[in-house]
Every structure is written in structure tokens, then in C-alpha cells.
Amino acid sequence: MTALANQPSSRRRLLLASDRTDQSIELASILRSVGEVDTISTSEIPDSPAGHFAGIVVDINLRSPETVQRVRNKLRTEAYRAMPRLFVLADALHHGSMQAWALGATDTIARPFDAAGILQRIQAAFPDSSGFDTTPSGKALNSGIAAAHTVMVKIFEKLPAGFPLAYIDIMRAENQILKAIKQSSLREWLTAVGRHHSDTYRHCLFVTGFAVAFAQHLGMREDDQRRLARAALLHDVGKAFIPVAILDKPGALTEEEIGEIRQHPRRGYDALAAQGGFPPEMLDVVLHHHEFLDGTGYPNGLRGNQISDIVRLTTIVDIHSALVEKRAYRKPFAHAKAFAIMEAMDGKLDQHLLQAFRPVALGSY
């Protein structure tokens, strides 16, 4: 196999470890559109790679005990422990996914390859530090997005595969997220997230950005800012148990599909409650972020004072995020238009909180 020369570059540099020489050609070509690629066989993985790599892509036969053990031994070393690892699955079967996560995958992609989708995953899994690291705020933004992406992978990829989500997984990301938005800006956060993430990831991270910016705008104590960041990251955890074909459907949903989507608050709540360790207020947000003050929300039709403040705030940023996001079936609403739509929802949303949100909503762009 050949390896690219170790020369200075402004692009991200990736290590592709493969025991599938012919099959990895297409993947290497896709990877080269976003960075330099050093391709090596799994038997040639060095104990310590020469130079800085943004991450490693592993394309191996996950059913080969010998290859799996070889890769496991290498990735346990200090040089690779902190490095993002993207594993390639031969298909979406459960065994390969479980094996990849057991080897320490931070994200996965599956054949057959969708080039555009893979590029989004690559850009999210392996942030291009050269493009952001020129300033402290850039470093903070890059770090925050990477931390948030790691949480999204744990929620939407690992949790459905049977790997439990721990509350500490959410807490580990909050410092970097708060710092990213404080030191850069909400606009930069939304721009970066909008460029790099799938629809489901992007929505959760839009909500997180708006929630943290809102908390900071209100001058909340740092502990409360952390609570809002956690709530935003977790709020849609139930969508991990909704078929992707429904979540990513480009057109209008059928009544049956809408009914399926409406199950996500309960499924998320049940999953986290069964695992234990999640504070009641986080479970409250997961279960009730689609409730309205007039009782027309779901799943419990709560009214007025039955809805907590943290849920009311999360509902506001959730709706605004959904309206300003690009969707396959419609263009995004301008922030002013989105806010006007929410003002017309009088009786459903906490208007006092909504008006407090105005500077954040209208100042985003």
C-alpha cells in the first residue's frame, strides 16, 4: 500500500487502516476530498503515528478474530486513545456495529457508501483543527462541536445498539459547549453545526446552542446554564428508537408515521428511567418538551402550572430551532418569521419567557 508524504498542509490529515485493499479505494477517494489520507494495512499500524492526525478510519473484517485483536491492541496505546475513531461497517447488521463500539469507535459508517452523507460524518467526527485553531474562540468552538457530536453518537448510534447512556456522558460535554458559545457566538455555532450534521444531530445541536445562548443572555448561574445544556442535548433521546426512514423522510408524514414520531418522548423517558442515574428534571424534559400550556400538547396533555420552567424554556428553543432549520421538504424560516409564528401561539407557550428569548432569536443572524 502507498502512503501520502508527510508534508505540511492546511487540511485535516487522516489515517486509513484497512485490510480490504480493493474495497477501500472508494473510501480513500471520498476521504481525500476533505483531507490528506495515509493508507496502511492493519498489520502496519505504528505504535505511534508520525505527525498529527485528526483521526483514524478503520476498515476491517469485523468477523475476523485475528484482525480485530490486532486492531484492539494498537488502539489501546496512548497514541490512539484520545484519537477519534471512525469504523466502517460492511452493512448495518447488529454484530458489526456492536464489535465496532466494543473496539472504541467514536462513530461508524456503513457500506454501500453515500458520499455526501459520509462527508458530513467525516467533517463532524474529525474536526479540521487547522481551520479553527488560529484563535482561542475558534479552538473553543471546534472543541465544543466535537464534544456535542460525541454525545449525539452515543445517543443515536450506541444507545439503540444496546450500549447504555450514562448521565456522566452528557456532563462531560457541557464545559466545552458552554465555553464554545460564550467565546465564539451563537451564530458561529449554528453555522458550523448546520454545515456538518445530519438532520437529527443538527436539530439537537441547534436546540443546545439556542438553550445555552438563552441561559447566558438571561445571566443564569453557571449551574443553571449546565442544566439547560444537558436538557437540550437529551431532549430528543427518544428519536433514537424511531425508524430512520421516518425521521429522514423527505416528504409529508402519514398519520401513522406522525403517531410513531409522537412516541419518542415516552420511549426516551422509559429508556433513561430504566437505566437510572438521570435527575428527575432531565426525565421531565425528555417526556414533556412537546406539552403546551393550553393542554393541547403530548404525550400527557399537561396544562399551565403542571409544566415546569425548564420544560417551558426547552419547548421554546426546540420550536424555534425546528422553524429556522433547513428541512428536505421546506426552506428554513427567517429568524424574525419564526419568532412571529411563535408569538401567534399565544396560550401554548410561556409568553414571558418567549419575549425574554426575543434578543437571542432575532440576534442570531
Side-chain angles (χ1 to χ4, degrees):
M1 292 190 180
T2 60
L4 295 178
N6 296 341
Q7 56 185 1
S9 171
S10 61
R11 307 173 74 202
R12 61 170 65 79
R13 186 170 169 225
L14 304 173
L15 183 63
L16 172 59
S18 172
D19 64 358
R20 303 173 175 226
T21 310
D22 296 335
Q23 295 183 43
S24 290
I25 293 176
E26 178 191 6
L27 177 59
S29 176
I30 294 172
L31 295 177
R32 288 192 183 99
S33 68
V34 294
E36 292 187 356
V37 182
D38 286 19
T39 303
I40 58 175
S41 69
T42 53
S43 61
E44 297 171 334
I45 299 177
D47 292 332
S48 182
H52 172 74
F53 286 89
I56 181 171
V57 181
V58 181
D59 187 9
I60 63 173
N61 179 4
L62 290 166
R63 294 186 180 274
S64 166
E66 180 182 358
T67 302
V68 167
Q69 187 59 45
R70 184 188 306 128
V71 171
R72 176 182 284 112
N73 291 339
K74 291 295 184 180
L75 295 186
R76 281 176 175 169
T77 64
E78 188 66 32
Y80 296 98
R81 194 170 299 156
M83 187 181 293
R85 307 114 174 260
L86 183 75
F87 275 71
V88 181
L89 308 180
D91 47 47
L93 294 179
H94 186 63
H95 175 274
S97 177
M98 291 289 286
Q99 186 66 270
W101 297 126
L103 286 170
T106 55
D107 205 347
T108 63
I109 54 176
R111 288 188 167 88
F113 294 140
D114 165 46
I118 288 177
L119 289 181
Q120 283 192 332
R121 301 300 281 268
I122 293 295
Q123 289 168 329
F126 307 133
D128 185 359
S129 59
S130 63
F132 295 102
D133 283 359
T134 55
T135 65
S137 64
K139 291 180 181 179
L141 179 63
N142 199 35
S143 177
I145 289 175
H149 175 75
T150 297
V151 173
M152 293 299 101
V153 171
K154 288 180 177 178
I155 289 175
F156 294 106
E157 304 289 340
K158 298 185 74 171
L159 185 59
F163 287 81
L165 178 71
Y167 189 49
I168 190 65
D169 293 331
I170 309 301
M171 294 177 67
R172 284 187 181 125
E174 65 193 31
N175 279 341
Q176 292 154 292
I177 294 172
L178 265 62
K179 185 177 179 181
I181 296 173
K182 185 175 182 179
Q183 293 194 8
S184 56
S185 69
L186 174 59
R187 178 176 181 173
E188 289 175 291
W189 174 274
L190 297 179
T191 299
V193 168
R195 184 169 60 240
H196 293 316
H197 292 274
S198 67
D199 286 352
T200 305
Y201 283 27
R202 181 173 61 242
H203 175 68
C204 289
L205 299 183
F206 263 50
V207 173
T208 300
F210 277 114
V212 171
F214 192 12
Q216 291 177 349
H217 168 71
L218 292 175
M220 287 186 177
R221 298 177 309 169
E222 187 168 311
D223 283 351
D224 290 330
Q225 292 182 28
R226 294 175 187 277
R227 291 169 57 221
L228 262 297
R230 295 169 203 163
L233 285 168
L234 273 175
H235 83 285
D236 262 348
V237 62
K239 286 184 178 177
F241 305 102
I242 302 298
V244 175
I246 295 179
L247 292 177
D248 294 345
K249 185 175 179 180
L253 298 176
T254 65
E255 287 189 16
E256 183 178 355
E257 289 167 338
I258 291 173
E260 183 77 10
I261 285 282
R262 287 189 167 216
Q263 294 299 314
H264 81 268
R266 173 61 63 183
R267 291 179 183 176
Y269 173 88
D270 288 345
L272 298 189
Q275 287 181 194
F278 288 86
E281 69 172 3
M282 295 295 106
L283 298 178
D284 184 23
V285 170
V286 169
L287 183 60
H288 295 135
H289 64 278
H290 284 291
E291 301 283 3
F292 290 137
L293 298 179
D294 63 0
T296 60
Y298 66 90
N300 298 126
L302 300 184
R303 288 179 173 271
N305 291 335
Q306 293 176 307
I307 303 175
S308 66
D309 287 344
I310 193 170
V311 169
R312 295 179 187 215
L313 194 151
T314 304
T315 299
I316 286 172
V317 296
D318 182 31
I319 294 173
H320 188 77
S321 297
L323 291 171
V324 301
E325 289 166 40
K326 177 182 178 182
R327 296 292 171 90
Y329 53 88
R330 65 159 172 80
K331 293 181 178 180
F333 288 103
H335 287 262
K337 174 63 175 177
F339 191 79
I341 291 172
M342 296 173 71
E343 283 187 307
M345 296 173 67
D346 191 23
K348 296 181 181 294
L349 302 177
D350 186 315
Q351 289 297 313
H352 177 73
L353 275 178
L354 181 61
Q355 292 307 316
F357 181 61
R358 176 189 289 272
V360 179
L362 302 188
S364 304
Y365 272 71

